[in-house]
Amino acid sequence: MALERYDIIILGAGPAGLAAACEAQDRGLTHLIVDRRGLVHSFVEYPQTLRFFSPSDEMAIDGIPFPMRGGEKPTREDALAYYRAVAAARRLHLATWESVVSVERRAEGLRLVTRREPNGEATVERWACAVILATGMWDQPRRLACPGADLPHVFSRFHEPTEFFGHPVLVVGGGNSAVTTALTLSEAHARITLAMRRPPVPYQSHLRPFVVRDLEIAVEEGKIDLRVGVIVHRIEAEQAWLQPAEYDPVEPHPCGEPYPVPARFVFALIGQTADTAFLSQLGLSLTPDNRPVSDPETYETEMPGLYVAGSLVSKSVDIVIKGRAQARRVVQIIAERLAGGQR
Ligand SMILES: Cc1cc2nc3c(=O)[nH]c(=O)nc-3n(C[C@H](O)[C@H](O)[C@H](O)COP(=O)(O)OP(=O)(O)OC[C@H]3O[C@@H](n4cnc5c(N)ncnc54)[C@H](O)[C@@H]3O)c2cc1C
């Protein structure tokens, strides 16, 4: 078994993990980023057709320019190329395709054991003064709770629209991802019903203005059949049943009879949550929205020396510009503690 020692080990090679690594480097601390898949794996899984809603300077890792022609917003491909360039230019230390077996607090520091993926054969033991959990909120898609939600034509991730050409598709969800998926599918000539729980006025409040604009145009042109104030009652092979319901994020109250809409395929894009099994395996208590309990000032979890960063911290940080700033702050806190002799 190889043995290595670092000031900081960062779990997760997403934007927050990369920002934390750059901050560690800037402060002269040794670091290693461990990811159970490849670099920025969440972004790899985003829709192939995605154009981000943020400008490139907001998607950048601090201090490293992310140029875009004519100030366009980056596509998924642009972002993947950019983060590869950051990792290469900054010579970040990466151990990708390694999953975490255990993180333990010992007198000498934190002991991390990982296993090589995908064959899971070799294990590696490493030690760190601090470990940062930057594993994100992308791992587990939220599932609908209605009958039929597990049928094979119900998907929780969207990659590419062409295979749905000409088919009736129900998209469920009220966020930017659901709406842009509905728009992309509609442009590819799928016949779209978009079902949202929230009634018309509030549903716009958490959507980007240009997403609302494009949706309104598509609805006006009859390209998207928008149903708001509804929940999915049940899903069958060729159709789904929607039911009017008073909006309540936890327990919506049905207030009308279910009615069918054509649905050869269903995309349930209702958000995702952290890998709760992994976080529980580390012995961490979770908040109601499945994030590790941590100190709001220091971001330290219940395990001394184990910190959280990026979108895992809170919904308010689930945007690259905020996640990168918070990740850098965590490293500053760790650096101060290490400088003060706290291990
Ligand atoms: C469709 C979509 C569009 C978006 N558009 C924008 C936008 O325009 N602008 C914006 O600012 N934000 C956008 N976001 C949000 C943004 O992607 C997230 O805020 C950001 O990715 C969070 O970064 P992170 O590093 O915290 O987590 P992630 O990017 O999720 O990275 C987590 C990393 O941890 C790894 N990992 C997971 N579990 C483990 C484990 N157990 N051990 C080791 N590694 C692990 C993963 O493989 C991954 O590489 C969008 C999100 C989605 C879903």
Side-chain angles (χ1 to χ4, degrees):
M1 206 186 249
L3 184 61
E4 302 167 26
R5 198 167 184 101
Y6 298 89
D7 291 320
I8 302 179
I9 291 180
I10 299 152
L11 304 182
L18 299 181
C22 289
E23 182 70 26
Q25 230 177 25
D26 292 346
R27 290 176 173 270
L29 299 175
T30 57
H31 77 274
L32 178 74
I33 309 175
V34 174
D35 199 297
R36 66 177 166 195
R37 292 294 302 271
L39 189 65
V40 285
H41 180 66
S42 302
F43 281 48
V44 170
E45 291 201 332
Y46 288 178
Q48 289 170 15
T49 50
L50 180 74
R51 185 176 288 281
F52 287 96
F53 55 74
S54 298
S56 60
D57 59 325
E58 293 185 9
M59 307 284 299
I61 303 302
D62 266 350
I64 309 170
F66 183 169
M68 287 293 297
R69 192 178 56 180
E72 280 180 355
K73 291 187 172 136
T75 63
R76 168 183 169 278
E77 288 298 317
D78 295 326
L80 294 177
Y82 170 76
Y83 293 120
R84 290 196 300 267
V86 168
R90 293 292 300 248
R91 298 176 195 273
L92 299 182
H93 298 289
L94 284 154
T96 54
W97 291 92
E98 282 190 32
S99 63
V100 176
V101 176
S102 61
V103 180
E104 280 174 80
R105 178 85 218 171
R106 299 263 184 99
E108 314 91 292
L110 287 153
R111 176 177 179 266
L112 178 86
V113 177
T114 64
R115 185 183 322 141
R116 298 253 198 259
E117 296 296 348
N119 59 20
E121 276 167 14
T123 55
V124 185
E125 178 185 353
R126 299 183 178 97
W127 288 82
C129 302
V131 171
I132 300 176
L133 262 177
T135 49
M137 292 292 286
W138 178 249
D139 285 292
Q140 285 177 206
R142 290 210 176 91
R143 311 256 174 211
L144 291 168
C146 66
D150 294 333
L151 286 169
H153 64 294
V154 181
F155 305 115
S156 49
R157 296 264 158 91
F158 170 71
H159 298 290
E160 207 279 333
T162 311
E163 57 195 332
F164 305 102
F165 178 95
H167 284 291
V169 178
L170 171 66
V171 179
V172 184
N176 290 296
S177 289
V179 177
T180 49
T181 296
L183 288 163
T184 305
L185 283 162
S186 150
E187 280 160 19
H189 299 276
R191 289 178 282 130
I192 302 300
T193 304
L194 174 59
M196 295 181 179
R197 291 188 306 178
R198 296 198 206 185
V201 176
Y203 88 78
Q204 297 182 346
S205 60
H206 61 293
L207 292 173
R208 292 277 160 156
F210 66 87
V211 174
V212 175
R213 181 203 62 204
D214 291 353
L215 174 61
E216 285 175 348
I217 293 169
V219 171
E220 180 83 17
E221 292 178 344
K223 292 179 177 163
I224 291 181
D225 178 6
L226 176 62
R227 307 293 177 116
V228 295
V230 293
I231 54 173
V232 183
H233 179 264
R234 64 183 191 273
I235 299 173
E236 297 167 353
E238 299 287 335
Q239 61 187 7
W241 293 72
L242 303 181
Q243 183 171 29
E246 281 167 28
Y247 178 67
D248 180 325
V250 183
E251 187 75 54
H253 309 291
C255 58
E257 289 303 310
Y259 61 88
V261 293
R264 178 78 173 77
F265 298 98
V266 177
F267 284 93
L269 304 178
I270 54 174
Q272 40 277 322
T273 183
D275 181 346
T276 47
F278 168 66
L279 298 175
S280 302
Q281 176 198 329
L282 299 184
L284 302 174
S285 309
L286 303 183
T287 61
D289 63 348
N290 288 336
R291 292 175 155 92
V293 170
S294 65
D295 183 313
E297 300 289 320
T298 64
Y299 306 105
E300 193 171 26
T301 67
E302 296 159 320
M303 186 190 296
L306 179 65
Y307 298 79
V308 274
S311 55
L312 195 58
V313 173
S314 83
K315 192 163 173 51
S316 64
V317 186
D318 194 1
I319 179 167
V320 173
I321 188 172
K322 293 201 175 161
R324 76 186 183 202
Q326 185 274 338
R328 284 190 172 261
R329 176 73 195 123
V330 172
V331 175
Q332 287 162 15
I333 291 167
I334 294 169
E336 283 160 17
R337 288 184 167 185
L338 294 180
Q342 197 177 327
R343 295 270 145 177

